[in-house]
Amino acid sequence: MAETNLQILLKRRPVGAPVPEDFDIVETPIPEPGEGQVLVRARFLSLDPYMRGRMADVKSYAKPVALGAVMEGQTAGEVVASRHAGFAPGDTVLGGFGWQRFSVVGPERLFKVPATDPPLSASLGVLGMPGLTAWTGLEDIGQPKAGETVVVSAASGAVGQVVGQIAKLRGAKVVGVAGGAKKCDFVVKELGFDACLDHHGDLDAQLDAAVPEGIDVYWENVGGKTQAAVFPRLRDFGRMVMCGMIAQYNEAPGADAAGAPPGPNLGPIVRKRLRVQGFIVSDTGWSRYGTFRAEAEGWIRSGKLRWREDVVDGLANAPRAFIGLLKGENFGKLVVRVD
Ligand SMILES: NC(=O)c1ccc[n+]([C@@H]2O[C@H](COP(=O)([O-])OP(=O)(O)OC[C@H]3O[C@@H](n4cnc5c(N)ncnc54)[C@H](OP(=O)(O)O)[C@@H]3O)[C@@H](O)[C@H]2O)c1
């Protein structure tokens, strides 16, 4: 039987947490690359929190996925046909598109990457968009210095694990926040953070003990009650890197979270001369991808940068895995092994 393209489409816009019925799984013919384009067979699909935003029809920095369209996402795989002089069949690449087995893409943001060393899936995590996010956000906003104290939420996740390790390399004391003892153990024992606090426990008491000196850089991945506990502890001239607030992604836009704690009093931003800045990795990140990748690969080779992946088998399992990501069920960078 001829091979087909397996695709996962957005069937309807979720209200609250996504459910499997929000997605459709279909088989379609394999697309043909046009002039200047490349056909990529996905080996790994990256699942990332931003995809929840693309499922909602709200004004944002990127357009929503249309109903009936392929779910947006980045893949790493191999070129199977090319009508672009820079790519040949057999090349392994980062930059395929969508929750699908085959995609036709242009050369923009298509990067040749090694097939095995480091493993291809690393190009979606530690050496991909999440790693690039950590690196650019620390370079541009967090700027941790030796002796400073850095706190990072969702510390065992794709972005958080890289943030903490780079901050350690810069000489900072690094404290993670993660959900549960297993994740915290990994963050301290495998990644070398100085401490890790479990947000299912009493975060205030744990912060009192772990960072009595206060916090110079807070890397915000989560929002909600973690933000409420950490924010008041920022020191004068502290920096708060607003990377994401996953705890709030399933809420209706503009709605108050039911049962959420009141937001922090923002008055201290003035009094403490804090810098609170948001950023999107695509603003400037991809134009610096080569610099980031060279530095990160050097750290990997010398054993200074480690990572953990959570690999789910089979493209059809992507919806279930993505739903779990928004509840903290992943442990490490979530990727789908497509076939
Ligand atoms: N600004 C940018 O350009 C950019 C780029 C990439 C990612 N991001 C943001 O960075 C953050 C982390 O992304 P990632 O890819 O590294 O994901 P991730 O950390 O690998 O996975 C998400 C983690 O968030 C935590 N979480 C999920 N739901 C939560 C909830 N309701 N309350 C509290 N914690 C919850 C869970 O960790 P625990 O079990 O430890 O709580 C979960 O494992 C997200 O906010 C994402 O949107 C931003």
Side-chain angles (χ1 to χ4, degrees):
M1 231 172 56
E3 200 173 19
T4 55
N5 195 9
L6 189 70
Q7 300 182 308
I8 300 183
L9 314 180
L10 177 62
K11 184 173 173 189
R12 63 178 195 199
R13 302 204 183 278
V15 179
V19 293
E21 293 72 27
D22 296 330
F23 303 88
D24 248 344
I25 303 180
V26 297
E27 285 193 54
T28 58
I30 298 172
E32 294 276 339
E35 188 55 41
Q37 293 182 319
V38 168
L39 177 66
V40 177
R41 181 189 185 111
R43 294 294 177 201
F44 292 94
L45 163 69
S46 180
L47 292 179
D48 300 279
Y50 75 84
M51 293 162 173
R52 177 63 184 86
R54 300 287 200 280
M55 298 174 85
D57 189 8
V58 292
K59 197 166 182 306
S60 183
Y61 63 93
K63 281 194 196 142
V65 174
L67 287 177
V70 177
M71 279 293 294
E72 194 171 320
Q74 201 177 29
T75 69
E78 69 192 50
V79 172
V80 287
S82 175
R83 297 185 64 192
H84 187 282
F87 298 91
D91 286 347
T92 42
V93 289
L94 164 66
F97 176 81
W99 296 24
Q100 55 184 343
R101 189 183 284 141
F102 290 97
S103 62
V104 160
V105 290
E108 324 78 43
R109 287 207 209 156
L110 195 61
F111 301 93
K112 283 187 204 173
V113 294
T116 51
D117 185 22
L120 183 58
S121 55
S123 285
L124 294 173
V126 64
L127 290 170
M129 182 278 283
L132 183 65
T133 300
W135 184 83
T136 51
L138 286 178
E139 287 281 304
D140 298 347
I141 305 169
Q143 300 173 355
K145 292 169 196 63
E148 288 192 329
T149 297
V150 174
V151 170
V152 50
S153 54
S156 73
V159 174
Q161 34 178 308
V162 184
V163 169
Q165 291 180 89
I166 296 179
K168 282 296 296 176
L169 285 163
R170 304 280 187 241
K173 167 180 165 181
V174 178
V175 175
V177 179
K182 267 194 190 158
K183 288 184 177 180
C184 276
D185 259 18
F186 162 75
V187 162
V188 172
K189 293 183 183 145
E190 299 290 325
L191 303 182
F193 288 29
D194 296 285
C196 182
L197 318 179
D198 181 355
H199 66 75
H200 298 312
D202 180 343
L203 205 45
D204 274 308
Q206 295 176 76
L207 283 163
D208 280 346
V211 290
E213 71 280 20
I215 297 162
D216 298 291
V217 179
Y218 175 42
W219 184 286
E220 177 60 287
N221 277 333
V222 161
K225 65 183 169 73
T226 302
Q227 184 182 87
V230 173
F231 178 80
R233 295 165 201 271
L234 278 162
R235 306 174 64 180
D236 290 358
F237 302 103
R239 285 85 71 200
M240 182 155 159
V241 187
M242 298 298 288
C243 178
M245 295 202 280
I246 193 170
Q248 294 160 222
Y249 290 177
N250 283 329
E251 288 162 18
D256 282 341
N265 167 13
L266 300 183
I269 293 177
V270 181
R271 186 166 43 81
K272 295 184 179 176
R273 285 85 96 209
L274 302 181
R275 183 178 181 194
V276 179
Q277 189 177 327
F279 76 109
I280 300 296
V281 61
S282 54
D283 295 341
T284 62
W286 291 109
S287 61
R288 297 190 277 166
Y289 183 64
T291 313
F292 152 70
R293 183 146 183 148
E295 189 163 22
E297 280 189 347
W299 287 329
I300 288 173
R301 273 193 299 274
S302 58
K304 292 177 181 154
L305 180 58
R306 307 170 66 135
W307 72 94
R308 180 186 173 110
E309 288 173 352
D310 190 333
V311 183
V312 170
D313 273 307
L315 184 59
N317 290 319
R320 184 189 51 74
F322 177 66
I323 290 165
L325 173 79
L326 298 168
K327 295 190 275 196
E329 287 173 6
N330 64 307
F331 186 177
K333 168 65 194 134
L334 183 59
V335 292
V336 175
R337 190 184 285 116
V338 171
D339 286 309

